[in-house]
């Protein structure tokens, strides 16, 4: 099955790094740690390989439908498009780092992945997107109705999974996160094209639509492990800061990334009239003529040939991309600092490296 391909790929990657390390050691006479070569999420996948296999198996089971074959078709299309399983790995890592040895971290990791997949299906309908991870979106291949209803099905499955843990704190955290995600998306609808949107509103949006699931993913890992309150809070703070850094980087890459790497076209957010941090910064420093440009292209949606180039020129003039990059780096540092109360552990070092890697994408 395609769902299991991520695990097989991760295992193969881990093996390849090991072989490469041996080759370097043989050629130079100096030992080399293979973990220094692997990306943090690949190292996490290798360390958590058995848990990820269990998550993949559970996902395969729960995304099946006896009466509605469209459900696994749509879900599998999104799974096939790739993705690093980052959010479920955060849950698994948090639980293992806190000494958990029971079965329910797998249920929670699958829950987090279902919530994430459901939001992607809904987002592509709302944004009228035609591409996700470099592939046609489900709403383009099928229709909006299928994407919305399959997303609803996955949300329902996620709640079934989280109740199986029998832990009311877990249920509260994940249900609150689901509501916060929806609230963030609705706020973005009203704020995205309003030039009065400032950084405080932007932070509220991304904390809702992105960081809420990151922080819930790490927090429930600590909760299911029975970790002390200070460590659970540290895990929440790490996930919150990491999610904010992750989204700021995504918004920055929309203006300076490579479409082959991001799966998006440069300037998609501009064309979709989304006021993300780079534009918010440029608007806040705009003179009257520049503000008129932003009002026409973003508020009224009257875009013409050459407008994207003009927008990029204004971003450069006000150093908005550097400002955005600095903000992402700041939040990555906050994520790393949040892990201080956690015990020394291989997984802790991988999570620290992951925070650095999130912002290395824009270096």
């Amino acid at each position: 099955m395609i769902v299991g391909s991520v695990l097989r790929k991760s295992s193969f990657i881990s093996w390849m790094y090991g072989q490469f390390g041996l080759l370097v050691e043989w050629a130079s006479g100096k030992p080399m740690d293979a973990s220094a070569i692997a990306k943090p999420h690949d190292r996490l996948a290798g360390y958590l390989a058995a848990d990820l296999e269990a998550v993949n198996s559970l996902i395969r089971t729960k995304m099946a439908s006896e009466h509605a074959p469209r459900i696994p078709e749509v879900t599998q299309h999104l799974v096939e498009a790739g993705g690093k399983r980052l959010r479920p790995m955060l849950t698994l890592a948090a639980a293992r780092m806190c000494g958990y040895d029971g079965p329910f971290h797998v249920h929670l990791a699958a829950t987090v992945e279902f919530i994430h997949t459901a939001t992607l299906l809904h987002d592509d309908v709302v944004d009228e997107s035609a591409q996700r991870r470099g592939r046609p979106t489900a709403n383009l291949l099928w229709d909006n109705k299928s994407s919305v209803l399959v997303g609803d099905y996955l949300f329902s499955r996620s709640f079934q999974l989280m109740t199986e843990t029998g832990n009311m704190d877990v249920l509260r955290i994940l249900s609150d996160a689901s509501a916060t995600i929806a609230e963030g998306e609705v706020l973005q609808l009203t704020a995205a094209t309003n030039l009065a949107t400032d950084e405080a509103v932007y932070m509220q949006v991304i904390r809702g639509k992105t960081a809420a699931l990151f922080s819930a993913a790490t927090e429930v890992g600590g909760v299911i492990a029975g970790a002390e309150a200070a460590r659970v809070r540290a895990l929440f703070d790490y996930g919150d800061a990491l999610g904010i850094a992750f989204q700021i980087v995504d918004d920055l890459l929309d203006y300076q990334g490579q479409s082959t790497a991001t799966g998006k076209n440069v300037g998609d957010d501009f064309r979709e009239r989304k006021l993300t941090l780079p534009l918010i910064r440029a608007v806040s420093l705009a003179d009257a003529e520049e503000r008129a440009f932003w009002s026409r292209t973003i508020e009224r949606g009257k875009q013409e040939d050459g407008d994207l180039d003009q927008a990029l020129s204004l971003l450069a003039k006000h150093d908005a991309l550097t400002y955005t990059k600095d903000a992402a780096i700041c939040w990555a540092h906050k994520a790393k600092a949040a892990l201080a109360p956690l015990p020394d552990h291989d997984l802790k070092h991988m999570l620290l490296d992951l925070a650095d890697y999130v912002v290395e994408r824009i270096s």
Side-chain angles (χ1 to χ4, degrees):
M1 293 289 289
I2 296 296
V3 181
S5 65
V6 173
L7 175 65
R8 291 192 294 272
K9 182 179 180 182
S10 297
S11 298
F12 177 71
I13 289 172
S14 298
W15 177 85
M16 285 288 290
Y17 287 138
Q19 299 308 304
F20 182 73
L22 290 174
L23 178 60
V24 172
E25 185 175 339
W26 172 81
S28 66
K30 298 179 180 179
M32 184 171 183
D33 184 3
S35 66
I37 307 168
K39 294 177 181 178
H41 52 78
D42 290 327
R43 289 161 51 205
L44 273 173
Y47 191 99
L48 300 166
D51 286 342
L52 278 172
E53 176 59 41
V55 172
N56 288 335
S57 178
L58 189 56
I59 287 175
R60 284 195 297 269
T61 300
K62 296 297 184 179
M63 80 177 189
S65 172
E66 179 181 355
H67 305 294
R70 177 66 56 86
I71 290 171
E73 288 175 3
V74 173
T75 306
Q76 190 171 20
H77 169 73
L78 197 55
V79 171
E80 284 181 12
K84 299 178 178 64
R85 288 280 204 276
L86 179 57
R87 293 156 188 82
M89 281 199 292
L90 290 175
T91 299
L92 298 173
R96 290 300 191 193
M97 191 164 47
C98 292
Y100 185 66
D101 60 359
F104 291 121
H105 63 317
V106 171
H107 290 67
L108 296 179
T111 296
V112 167
E113 184 68 3
F114 274 146
I115 292 173
H116 177 54
T117 305
T119 61
L120 294 184
L121 288 169
H122 288 171
D123 285 353
D124 287 341
V125 172
V126 171
D127 295 338
E128 299 179 350
S129 300
Q131 190 177 39
R132 165 74 65 180
R133 295 170 180 165
R135 294 168 55 117
T137 54
N139 52 298
L140 185 67
L141 292 178
W142 285 275
D143 49 51
N144 286 341
K145 293 178 182 179
S146 295
S147 290
V148 170
L149 293 174
V150 173
D152 291 345
Y153 177 83
L154 294 181
F155 267 126
S156 300
R157 280 300 203 195
S158 72
F159 278 90
Q160 288 178 329
L161 277 168
M162 70 178 82
T163 59
E164 290 180 17
T165 67
N167 188 311
M168 286 301 295
D169 285 335
V170 161
L171 183 59
R172 173 186 55 78
I173 292 165
L174 289 171
S175 59
D176 284 354
S178 298
T180 301
I181 291 167
E183 185 179 36
E185 294 288 359
V186 174
L187 176 59
Q188 181 174 252
L189 282 179
T190 59
T193 60
N194 183 356
L195 292 189
T197 297
D198 58 16
E199 290 186 34
V201 174
Y202 170 77
M203 287 298 301
Q204 192 175 353
V205 169
I206 67 172
R207 207 168 222 136
K209 73 171 194 172
T210 301
L213 190 54
F214 275 77
S215 58
T218 48
E219 185 180 11
V220 295
V223 168
I224 201 65
E228 60 186 65
R231 290 181 177 180
V232 172
R233 180 67 202 190
L235 288 167
F236 171 89
D237 289 342
Y238 171 82
D240 177 63
L242 184 72
I244 291 172
F246 186 92
Q247 186 59 56
I248 292 175
V249 168
D250 265 12
D251 292 341
L252 178 57
L253 288 174
D254 189 78
Y255 289 100
Q256 66 175 42
Q258 298 292 326
S259 59
T260 53
T262 64
K264 298 168 59 179
N265 298 311
V266 172
D268 276 351
D269 283 351
F270 175 77
R271 284 183 283 269
E272 293 170 11
R273 303 163 59 203
K274 289 182 181 178
L275 268 174
T276 57
L277 187 55
L279 262 60
I280 290 170
R281 178 64 175 174
V283 169
S284 72
L285 299 173
D287 59 25
E289 182 180 352
E290 292 166 2
R291 192 170 182 85
F293 169 80
W294 294 122
S295 179
R296 173 177 65 81
T297 56
I298 301 299
E299 284 192 323
R300 301 200 303 276
K302 295 182 178 180
Q303 296 187 6
E304 305 167 354
D305 289 343
D307 280 345
L308 176 58
D309 289 337
Q310 174 67 5
L312 292 172
S313 176
L314 292 176
L315 293 179
K317 173 184 176 181
H318 296 296
D319 217 11
L321 298 183
T322 299
Y323 179 85
T324 303
K325 178 180 178 180
D326 289 344
I329 292 171
C330 178
W331 280 102
H333 288 163
K334 289 181 180 180
K336 294 172 67 176
L339 289 178
L342 275 296
D344 189 52
H345 195 287
D346 286 345
L347 286 167
K348 179 178 179 178
H349 296 296
M350 293 179 199
L351 294 180
L352 290 169
D353 291 344
L354 181 63
D356 286 331
Y357 177 71
V358 162
V359 293
E360 282 173 7
R361 296 183 297 159
I362 53 174
S363 59

